[in-house]
Amino acid sequence: MSQAMRPVLSIKSVVILTLCVSGLLVGRTLMNHKEGSSGIVHVEQQQQLPPVRHTGPAEKKAETRACSPKTKLVFLKTHKTGSTTLASVIERYGYYRNLTFAVGLSHVLSFERRFDRRDVFRFPGMAEQHFDILTNHARYHRAEMEAVVPNATYITILRRPEDQLESSFGYFEMYRGMGLTKESNPLETFMDDPVKYFKKHIYMWQLSRNGLLYDLGFDHEFDENSGKIAQKITEIDKEFDLVLLTEYFDESLILMRKLLCWEFDDILYLSNGARSPSHRFELTDSLRGKIREWSHGDVLLYEHFNKTFWNKVAQYGPDFKKDLDYFVKLRQDMFDNCIDAGKVNKGDKRVFKLTLKNSSKKCERLLRSDTTYTSKIRMSMIHRYGVPYCFYSYAAAILLGVVICLYTVVKCFRLCNKPSHYSDPRDLSQF
């Protein structure tokens, strides 16, 4: 066979090349932390700030607080409930006070299974020291979380189940996996026959029924077991110090502030974003009814903690309304000072994000996202306590990818330049 007719790559070399690319992708994925960033995060100087104190109406009566701020905290994030905004509040508080965080490779520590202590990095400089805060996405597992952040205050947040499911369905584009992209309202089609589509789609299917209970550690095999659902709700009621409600976000923060003995400035926030119209679906009364029937466990969960929420508001006392009004005004003033209301960031087609109109440190810190704070916190922890033990394994994975790639290049070069045994395709004597 002539030089021109010889195949450039053999099947063997293609296989090796595939292994090379796979090795590099694995190593890159491991080291990029799945943050979607450049991979390099600069450690911002952390100062023991005390934040600017805004004295609320209830505090003017007595400037001396009778409590001390709580810094041992587990915030159990739930999906599509405003938990990312709340996580940013908690991360801002801890980051600028040099508190320690239980962090891992990604801002999602666990989802398909319950949290395990091995999901977080072990830093050599911390020895047997425990962490102060856990606030990244982690499916609830009390014993394992207690092992990482012992004696913590536990907080979570719930949202009306119909709205939470609609938000998850749109944001995570569940309809794509269900083959419903051509439907005018794919959520309505899904709810017309939910059993047909449940688990049929792969991505985030766990949130398409009783997603709140799922995040709180409840298994889908018990979705229709009323006894197990009631037992789980009782367990959450006993084990969580405060359950916030998305629909009453500011009211929730007032309760959280009192529980944690924080300042008004500590709970200030700017929303991390609002879903774009292209990823929203109309919720008619009929559709709401179907969702409530389908996710009945979440409905029972929400109704229970809706009652306990307003009980806590009543226990707060007559100053609640004054403190709430004060905080709302404080937050609005901060919004007006920081945000350009005429601009939105449409970098993510699913979410419209706020845009700063000034670059003051305070405004930047308030608008900073959960994932960005997680990256900063991770690098700060490494800076203070050393490279986590598992990073060496990740480095080894990248090195292996490089070695395989180099081997492939050499092998391909030799194969492509190997002299042919068949000098003339017309010479049949060689056969």
Side-chain angles (χ1 to χ4, degrees):
M1 187 179 291
S2 67
Q3 186 76 14
M5 296 178 65
R6 187 186 310 128
V8 177
L9 291 176
S10 67
I11 294 176
K12 183 177 178 181
S13 63
V14 170
V15 171
I16 296 173
L17 183 60
T18 302
L19 288 173
C20 164
V21 174
S22 299
L24 286 175
L25 286 175
V26 168
R28 184 169 180 246
T29 300
L30 287 169
M31 290 303 292
N32 265 356
H33 302 159
K34 300 179 184 178
E35 296 294 345
S37 65
S38 64
I40 301 174
V41 183
H42 299 283
V43 178
E44 182 178 339
Q45 184 178 5
Q46 291 171 258
Q47 299 174 343
Q48 199 78 11
L49 315 157
V52 178
R53 180 174 179 181
H54 293 94
T55 305
E59 291 183 301
K60 290 178 180 177
K61 299 176 183 177
E63 288 295 328
T64 303
R65 303 286 295 276
C67 59
S68 299
K70 294 181 180 179
T71 56
K72 289 283 186 178
L73 179 62
V74 172
F75 171 49
L76 197 288
K77 287 188 71 175
T78 48
H79 286 85
K80 307 314 297 173
T81 58
S83 64
T84 295
T85 298
L86 185 53
S88 298
V89 169
I90 295 169
E91 287 161 341
R92 185 181 75 239
Y93 181 91
Y95 179 71
Y96 289 106
R97 287 167 176 77
N98 291 321
L99 300 180
T100 58
F101 284 79
V103 292
L105 186 65
S106 167
H107 68 284
V108 178
L109 297 175
S110 69
F111 175 67
E112 295 186 354
R113 54 172 176 74
R114 293 184 187 87
F115 174 79
D116 186 288
R117 69 189 74 183
R118 291 171 293 184
D119 292 328
V120 302
F121 289 151
R122 292 187 303 116
F123 295 92
M126 290 189 68
E128 298 301 317
Q129 181 182 345
H130 294 103
F131 296 99
D132 295 315
I133 296 174
L134 190 160
T135 189
N136 285 150
H137 268 300
R139 194 161 170 236
Y140 186 56
H141 187 176
R142 182 57 178 247
E144 289 297 295
M145 290 178 170
E146 192 71 26
V148 174
V149 188
N151 305 313
T153 299
Y154 278 72
I155 293 173
T156 190
I157 184 168
L158 303 178
R159 184 179 184 182
R160 191 174 289 113
E162 312 95 285
D163 298 318
Q164 193 266 348
L165 177 55
E166 184 273 330
S167 183
S168 295
F169 193 86
Y171 183 82
F172 296 116
E173 299 182 336
M174 294 181 184
Y175 49 88
R176 295 189 184 279
M178 297 178 182
L180 301 176
T181 54
K182 295 181 179 180
E183 299 290 330
S184 58
N185 189 338
L187 177 59
E188 190 166 23
T189 304
F190 167 52
M191 290 313 306
D192 283 341
D193 190 0
V195 176
K196 175 182 176 181
Y197 298 101
F198 185 53
K199 294 188 180 180
K200 179 181 178 181
H201 61 106
I202 298 174
Y203 184 58
M204 306 297 280
W205 67 267
Q206 297 90 338
L207 300 181
S208 60
R209 187 181 195 186
N210 291 328
L212 296 171
L213 278 171
Y214 179 81
D215 282 337
L216 288 161
F218 193 71
D219 292 322
H220 280 301
E221 62 181 297
F222 303 119
D223 277 334
E224 297 182 14
N225 189 322
S226 57
K228 288 285 188 180
I229 291 172
Q231 182 181 340
K232 183 64 179 179
I233 293 173
T234 300
E235 172 192 305
I236 296 167
D237 196 20
K238 289 180 179 178
E239 296 182 356
F240 278 80
D241 298 281
L242 179 62
V243 176
L244 291 69
L245 300 179
T246 307
E247 290 76 15
Y248 305 99
F249 198 76
D250 287 347
E251 290 87 343
S252 294
L253 288 176
I254 295 297
L255 293 179
M256 187 184 82
R257 171 188 166 275
K258 183 175 183 179
L259 174 67
L260 300 179
C261 194
W262 289 4
E263 306 289 350
F264 280 96
D265 201 62
D266 298 330
I267 61 171
L268 279 174
Y269 69 92
L270 293 171
S271 174
N272 278 182
R275 229 169 355 121
S276 63
S278 65
H279 285 67
R280 292 177 180 270
F281 303 104
E282 182 184 359
L283 281 173
T284 62
D285 291 342
S286 173
L287 186 52
R288 284 183 177 275
K290 291 177 181 178
I291 294 175
R292 289 177 65 84
E293 183 178 351
W294 172 245
S295 289
H296 186 59
D298 273 1
V299 171
L300 294 175
L301 176 75
Y302 183 86
E303 288 178 347
H304 175 85
F305 285 104
N306 187 35
K307 293 177 183 176
T308 63
F309 180 86
W310 294 109
N311 288 339
K312 290 183 183 295
V313 169
Q315 293 166 10
Y316 191 101
D319 289 323
F320 182 84
K321 182 65 166 58
K322 295 177 183 177
D323 286 351
L324 176 62
D325 291 344
Y326 175 79
F327 175 65
V328 170
K329 184 180 185 306
L330 188 66
R331 181 175 61 78
Q332 187 60 51
D333 290 345
M334 188 59 62
F335 180 92
D336 294 340
N337 180 55
C338 294
I339 299 302
D340 185 342
K343 281 186 179 181
V344 291
N345 181 347
K346 298 183 180 181
D348 185 339
K349 65 179 181 178
R350 301 170 301 175
V351 179
F352 290 166
K353 297 187 176 183
L354 300 176
T355 302
L356 291 175
K357 67 180 178 184
N358 73 65
S359 57
S360 72
K361 284 188 176 181
K362 185 162 188 175
C363 291
E364 288 179 352
R365 291 168 181 174
L366 283 170
L367 192 60
R368 187 175 292 156
S369 70
D370 166 38
T371 54
T372 303
Y373 264 120
T374 296
S375 294
K376 285 182 169 292
I377 287 166
R378 185 187 297 114
M379 295 308 297
S380 170
M381 294 289 291
I382 292 172
H383 181 73
R384 287 184 285 163
Y385 300 108
V387 177
Y389 295 115
C390 57
F391 265 40
Y392 298 108
S393 299
Y394 305 151
I398 289 183
L399 181 60
L400 177 62
V402 171
V403 170
I404 293 174
C405 188
L406 289 175
Y407 173 80
T408 303
V409 171
V410 173
K411 193 70 176 177
C412 288
F413 179 80
R414 288 179 176 176
L415 286 172
C416 294
N417 292 277
K418 187 175 181 180
S420 173
H421 294 295
Y422 312 128
S423 57
D424 187 346
R426 294 170 298 175
D427 182 5
L428 301 181
S429 64
Q430 57 192 317
F431 297 101

